[in-house]
Amino acid sequence: MLATTVTSGVVVLVGAVFLACAVEMVEALTIVLAVGHTRGWRSAFEGTGAALAALAALVAIFGPALTRVPLSSLRLIVGGVLLIFGMQWLRKAILRSSGLKAMHDEDVVYRETVAELRASSSSPQRDRIAFVMAFKGVFLEGLEVVITVLTLGTSAHRLGLAVAVAAVAVVSVGIVGVAVAKQLSSVPENAMKMGVGVLLVSFGTFWTGEGLKVRWPGNDVMLIVFVALYLAVTWGLVGYLRRSRPRTATVAQ
Amino acid sequence: MSERRPPWPVRLVKGFAMFWWDFLIGDTPELFVAALVTIGVVALLRGVGHQNAAAVIALPVLAVVSLVLSVRRAAKPRE
């Protein structure tokens, strides 16, 4: 029984961290590739390196601090944040799958970034623009990775595992991304986002309850129940919206 | 006349606050409010009423209702 409960929690944790980090890495890599191909790799790498250093500093500062917060308070705060964040992801993925919102297309993002970079001046400021764009892309997407890893890892008392899984996700996507160069649009990003949304809402529900001293039947096994529940709701909502509305993609983001 | 930029600590704090605003509220304030209401209801059930079974059911049900209402709000055609 103990092995079963530990495995349930760990499997869901690993899945959530891996998928969330992979999705954010795809988005960051698209921007870095656009900067590198358009304005040169030096600025792209410098911007990426500076952003990674800033993110590492944030982890070094907030990681140990989070482990000192009492566990029930930490789980309530983390649960609430994950509940909100997960529902936002899930909502967006549902609207995209049902055709009410345009799919996130990495080809479009790539073309828009390239156009923006080409339109900007080619003065000595050129490198600065490329640096800033690479830095912002990596830092903002990376910040979501940091928050996901810190919140999931510390609440589950498995920060080391969460960091290791995040590193594997980032390196794997990095290798694949470099290999396929500009074809990141072939990554099934919306399906991955939907999966992450389901897992984050499941963890959010579980830890919010833990933080409020709710005794879950079966302990960690309830995570699997929540995953099944939210998957069913997501599937039902997508089906309902597809049947009841014309497929008009309206919002691109 | 050129506008003076605020000093970097002000920009840093402002940027940090803006990040959390976008992260938690953004274009879905209803989900933020729904999460707070959910936590409040479950805290009352568990802490005041000592109703563990009701809390076990209420938490996921309120989360599902919040999600469904938010999706329906987004799907509603604009006038």
Side-chain angles (χ1 to χ4, degrees):
Chain A
M1 182 65 190
L2 180 67
T4 311
T5 54
V6 168
T7 306
S8 309
V10 170
V11 166
V12 180
L13 174 77
V14 168
V17 171
F18 187 88
L19 282 177
C21 294
V23 168
E24 299 301 341
M25 179 63 184
V26 167
E27 294 182 3
L29 195 59
T30 300
I31 295 166
V32 174
L33 287 174
V35 173
H37 280 294
T38 316
R39 307 289 284 249
W41 292 101
R42 187 176 166 180
S43 303
F45 286 140
E46 283 172 355
T48 303
L52 290 176
L55 291 168
L58 282 179
V59 174
I61 294 165
F62 291 108
L66 274 177
T67 56
R68 291 200 190 96
V69 178
L71 196 58
S72 61
S73 308
L74 181 70
R75 285 186 168 172
L76 179 57
I77 295 164
V78 166
V81 168
L82 290 180
L83 207 51
I84 297 166
F85 192 39
M87 284 198 289
Q88 288 173 349
W89 275 46
L90 209 45
R91 174 186 180 275
K92 208 178 271 181
I94 289 168
L95 293 173
R96 282 180 176 151
S97 288
S98 55
L100 287 162
K101 195 176 178 75
M103 288 284 185
H104 186 95
D105 188 336
E106 294 302 337
D107 278 345
V108 174
V109 175
Y110 184 89
R111 281 198 299 273
E112 284 173 355
T113 309
V114 167
E116 196 181 330
L117 284 163
R118 285 195 173 137
S120 54
S121 67
S122 54
S123 64
Q125 280 193 321
R126 193 175 79 174
D127 284 345
R128 196 178 140 258
I129 291 166
F131 175 89
V132 169
M133 197 162 258
F135 179 86
K136 272 175 71 178
V138 174
F139 186 76
L140 291 178
E141 304 301 343
L143 208 50
E144 294 193 19
V145 170
V146 167
I147 291 170
T148 307
V149 171
L150 283 182
T151 53
L152 291 175
T154 49
S155 295
H157 267 208
R158 290 182 182 276
L159 187 56
L161 177 67
V163 170
V165 172
V168 170
V170 167
V171 171
S172 309
V173 174
I175 291 169
V176 173
V178 168
V180 302
K182 300 177 203 168
Q183 293 159 13
L184 287 169
S185 58
S186 53
V187 174
E189 208 179 326
N190 197 57
M192 286 166 75
K193 264 195 164 141
M194 194 175 274
V196 174
V198 166
L199 294 173
L200 293 184
V201 177
S202 301
F203 267 118
T205 307
F206 184 78
W207 279 330
T208 299
E210 293 265 301
L212 294 170
K213 311 261 190 289
V214 172
R215 290 191 307 274
W216 295 116
N219 300 318
D220 285 11
V221 175
M222 274 305 279
L223 270 171
I224 305 292
V225 176
F226 291 145
V227 169
L229 169 72
Y230 293 125
L231 270 177
V233 171
T234 301
W235 180 75
L237 274 172
V238 171
Y240 169 75
L241 290 173
R242 276 183 180 167
R243 280 192 305 276
S244 63
R245 295 195 62 81
R247 303 187 110 232
T248 48
T250 49
V251 185
Q253 204 176 72
Chain B
M1 213 170 85
S2 64
E3 235 179 79
R4 281 188 64 189
R5 284 179 87 189
W8 71 266
V10 176
R11 278 184 280 139
L12 191 72
V13 172
K14 201 175 159 193
F16 189 70
M18 284 301 295
F19 169 78
W20 281 104
W21 177 271
D22 282 342
F23 189 74
L24 293 175
I25 298 170
D27 55 357
T28 53
E30 73 276 12
L31 289 177
F32 179 76
V33 174
L36 292 184
V37 170
T38 302
I39 290 171
V41 169
V42 176
L44 282 175
L45 284 171
R46 187 69 192 92
V48 180
H50 304 287
Q51 300 289 321
N52 190 67
V56 165
I57 294 165
L59 219 168
V61 167
L62 286 173
V64 168
V65 169
S66 308
L67 182 66
V68 170
L69 291 179
S70 181
V71 168
R72 280 186 61 117
R73 178 174 172 262
K76 203 183 283 183
R78 306 253 187 267
E79 290 297 319

